[in-house]
Amino acid sequence: MKTICMYFEIHQIIHLKRYRFFDIGTDHYYYDDYENERSITDIANRSYLPALEAIQEMVNQHGDYFKVAFSLSGTGIEQLEMHAPQVLEKLQELSKTGCVEFLAEPYSHGLSALANEASFERDVRKQMVKMKEYFGQEPKVLRNSSLIYSDDIGGQAAAMGFKGMLTEGAKHVLGWKSPHYVYNCAIAPDLKLLLRDVTLSDDISLRFNNSEWEGYPLFADNYIDRIANFPEEEQVINIFMELSALGIAQPLSSNILEFLKALPACAKQRGITFSTPTEICMKMKSVGNLDVPDTLSWVDEERDVSCWLGNPMQREAFQKLYSIADRLRIIDDPRINQDWDYLQASNNFRFMTTKPSTVMFDRGMYQTPFDAFTNYMNILGDFITRVNNVYPLSIENDELEPLLNTIRNQGDELEKKGKEIIRLQAKIDKMQKEEDKLKAKLDKAKEGAPAKKPATRRKKAEPAEKAEKPKE
């Protein structure tokens, strides 16, 4: 039986402000607060809220037949917390239905998987804490930033304990193979891979409102018919996109939400189900390895990482940023750590691209890629100076490793002690309960015992009559 796995990404760009060379060393705040508030509020009102309302209707109407998955970057969550908390509240409502799965992804929506394994793991685990905090779920499936994947990244994901990972069903990787099967990582066979159907996903996210597209207008019944007509053995249809496609890339006036809401009914008529990524990973077997020696993504026609690292400017910025990654792992400064998350975001490098793009691409305040590079490097120069003020350059990275090991060992020791405290506290609580039960039992026994009769006072004996004296 065919099943549809529908997944939406929620991420928000953190807009940097105009930062000049003369600001280095004097201004440590890097963000355009006005633009950040304006953009997230606009996207929430035009896309996130109406789209989530539509998904809520679908769940209410179809119950656990309809299922969907989301992932949220940590930086996106922070923007929603400040400017659009109603979006998080709506997601929490959806989580309670049991029909929604939340996936793991890097907190920063950055490129740490390409640079530093320890930073990548830390980035992902930080986001997982947020998923647990907001939605009570511990993600079992990983979705890397922009579906970036390679064999090595898959190996890292498996080492972190994930059951599956999402990535792109790129033609140059698949060759003659179909994306409609479950595959596994070539170097970690236990990690299952779900591959995005590029055509079906982009028909909704990129082409739905394009009147010049040969498939226009797209109707839900025709869309499901295409899925039903795939060969019988092709059972997994992965439709992945950004949630902002519903309302921003494809305006609400295009009836995109009506199309979405009609999909479950049409699928049910054709005997097609909906599943979450974890359900697929648990229930379906892999048909074989997928060899991905070179990194792929879901961006641009090349489906690689050239949009972020394709020119010397991008590579210089990338290398300079991650040159301090090891130092950041031992800095316990909330402000520096937040700046680290925001500066890692992949869009900072995308703004520097010199590649032509067939997809709508907005550089924001930057006029040219060189403008984006200059502004970012000015900010990065100030940020690195702040980091070096905490851990001077005289301390080499290899000298930091013993410090990291010490910190890790201390953390492990604290964790062990914490578990021992919990165990002893549980033992004390158990003994206290037993003592309370015994006390209650004794009190009950006292109450049920027959009352003793009060002792009666003996009547004082009358003195014996004096014997009569014998008569003389």
Side-chain angles (χ1 to χ4, degrees):
M1 179 181 291
K2 289 182 170 57
T3 190
I4 296 173
C5 180
M6 187 167 282
Y7 154 80
F8 295 100
E9 175 208 24
I10 299 177
H11 168 62
Q12 177 61 25
I13 290 176
I14 306 296
H15 297 273
L16 303 177
K17 70 180 182 182
R18 183 67 66 179
Y19 194 92
R20 305 188 184 282
F21 177 79
F22 299 102
D23 295 323
I24 298 174
T26 60
D27 182 4
H28 305 316
Y29 192 77
Y30 312 134
Y31 314 108
D32 185 340
D33 290 336
Y34 172 80
E35 182 59 24
N36 284 325
E37 181 176 1
R38 186 207 64 78
S39 60
I40 189 63
T41 302
D42 179 60
I43 293 175
N45 291 332
R46 291 171 54 201
S47 172
Y48 294 164
L49 289 173
L52 293 175
E53 284 288 350
I55 292 172
Q56 181 74 64
E57 288 182 33
M58 296 162 74
V59 172
N60 292 342
Q61 181 178 355
H62 300 283
D64 59 4
Y65 167 76
F66 175 73
K67 296 175 182 178
V68 66
F70 293 94
S71 76
L72 294 85
S73 68
T75 53
I77 290 175
E78 290 183 13
Q79 292 298 297
L80 292 172
E81 287 173 333
M82 288 189 288
H83 306 303
Q86 63 272 30
V87 174
L88 293 172
E89 292 170 4
K90 178 56 67 176
L91 286 166
Q92 286 174 323
E93 290 179 24
L94 283 168
S95 179
K96 293 176 183 177
T97 65
C99 299
V100 176
E101 179 180 357
F102 290 90
L103 310 183
E105 73 163 68
Y107 190 96
S108 66
H109 199 270
L111 306 175
S112 55
L114 304 175
N116 189 293
E117 289 188 15
S119 293
F120 177 57
E121 180 173 355
R122 179 186 180 191
D123 212 8
V124 171
R125 295 201 184 282
K126 185 176 179 180
Q127 186 264 3
M128 293 173 68
V129 171
K130 280 286 188 182
M131 296 299 99
K132 180 69 174 177
E133 174 187 337
Y134 271 102
F135 311 114
Q137 296 190 25
E138 296 181 1
K140 296 179 177 60
V141 174
L142 173 64
R143 180 262 183 201
N144 198 8
S145 310
S146 300
L147 297 189
I148 292 174
Y149 177 80
S150 68
D151 291 336
D152 290 337
I153 295 172
Q156 294 177 51
M160 283 189 274
F162 290 106
K163 303 299 182 185
M165 192 167 178
L166 310 188
T167 190
E168 181 77 342
K171 290 182 180 178
H172 70 275
V173 171
L174 284 171
W176 56 268
K177 298 177 182 177
S178 167
H180 304 147
Y181 295 94
V182 175
Y183 296 91
N184 62 265
C185 174
I187 64 174
D190 290 338
L191 183 79
K192 293 182 178 177
L193 302 176
L194 305 185
L195 308 184
R196 175 177 178 261
D197 185 305
V198 177
T199 302
L200 288 175
S201 299
D202 288 352
D203 283 352
I204 298 175
S205 63
L206 299 181
R207 295 183 280 267
F208 185 82
N209 194 44
N210 183 3
S211 59
E212 297 181 359
W213 171 45
E214 62 181 9
Y216 181 87
L218 181 62
F219 295 105
D221 54 352
N222 293 336
Y223 188 82
I224 294 297
D225 284 345
R226 287 164 57 190
I227 294 174
N229 291 331
F230 287 138
E232 183 178 352
E233 61 274 12
E234 297 186 11
Q235 297 186 358
V236 182
I237 315 299
N238 299 309
I239 301 172
F240 306 158
M241 68 190 77
E242 298 177 359
L243 186 63
S244 60
L246 310 178
I248 302 297
Q250 308 304 320
L252 298 181
S253 59
S254 67
N255 293 322
I256 183 73
L257 296 184
E258 284 68 25
F259 166 84
L260 184 72
K261 289 188 284 188
L263 289 177
C266 295
K268 187 178 287 187
Q269 290 178 354
R270 300 301 302 267
I272 299 171
T273 64
F274 287 82
S275 300
T276 63
T278 295
E279 287 178 337
I280 293 174
C281 290
M282 293 298 185
K283 294 179 181 178
M284 296 192 175
K285 295 182 179 180
S286 167
V287 297
N289 294 341
L290 186 71
D291 295 309
V292 189
D294 299 318
T295 312
L296 62 88
S297 76
W298 71 357
V299 179
D300 292 345
E301 292 183 4
E302 294 84 359
R303 312 292 177 185
D304 57 15
V305 297
S306 59
C307 65
W308 303 291
L309 301 175
N311 64 48
M313 292 185 299
Q314 293 170 311
R315 291 191 290 273
E316 180 181 348
F318 178 79
Q319 290 166 5
K320 189 170 184 179
L321 175 67
Y322 284 102
S323 68
I324 57 171
D326 291 332
R327 295 171 184 270
L328 265 297
R329 285 157 55 201
I330 59 175
I331 290 180
D332 188 21
D333 184 315
R335 178 70 182 278
I336 287 180
N337 287 331
Q338 184 181 62
D339 291 339
W340 170 246
D341 290 333
Y342 291 175
L343 292 177
Q344 284 188 87
S346 61
N347 57 276
N348 293 313
F349 301 95
R350 183 82 191 275
F351 290 147
M352 304 175 198
T353 186
T354 51
K355 287 178 56 180
S357 177
T358 57
V359 180
M360 180 179 63
F361 175 57
D362 182 8
R363 292 187 197 273
M365 70 173 182
Y366 304 118
Q367 298 297 317
T368 66
F370 310 100
D371 185 21
F373 173 74
T374 301
N375 199 71
Y376 183 79
M377 293 303 281
N378 286 340
I379 291 174
L380 189 55
D382 181 80
F383 178 69
I384 290 176
T385 300
R386 290 165 57 204
V387 173
N388 289 337
N389 286 339
V390 179
Y391 289 99
L393 287 173
S394 58
I395 303 176
E396 299 293 338
N397 281 347
D398 56 359
E399 294 180 59
L400 291 174
E401 193 60 35
L403 294 176
L404 291 173
N405 288 332
T406 300
I407 291 171
R408 280 195 292 266
N409 292 337
Q410 288 176 345
D412 293 341
E413 188 65 26
L414 288 172
E415 185 178 355
K416 288 179 182 177
K417 289 182 178 179
K419 290 180 179 178
E420 182 65 15
I421 290 171
I422 293 172
R423 187 186 69 80
L424 292 174
Q425 186 61 52
K427 190 173 181 180
I428 291 171
D429 292 342
K430 183 178 179 181
M431 293 171 66
Q432 185 64 50
K433 288 179 181 178
E434 291 176 355
E435 182 181 344
D436 292 342
K437 286 181 182 179
L438 183 59
K439 187 177 179 181
K441 190 174 181 180
L442 290 173
D443 291 342
K444 188 175 180 181
K446 288 179 181 179
E447 291 175 2
K452 291 182 179 180
K453 293 182 180 180
T456 57
R457 204 172 166 188
R458 288 186 180 180
K459 191 174 180 181
K460 190 173 182 181
E462 292 288 335
E465 292 184 4
K466 292 182 178 180
E468 291 183 1
K469 288 183 179 181
K471 291 182 180 181
E472 296 180 356

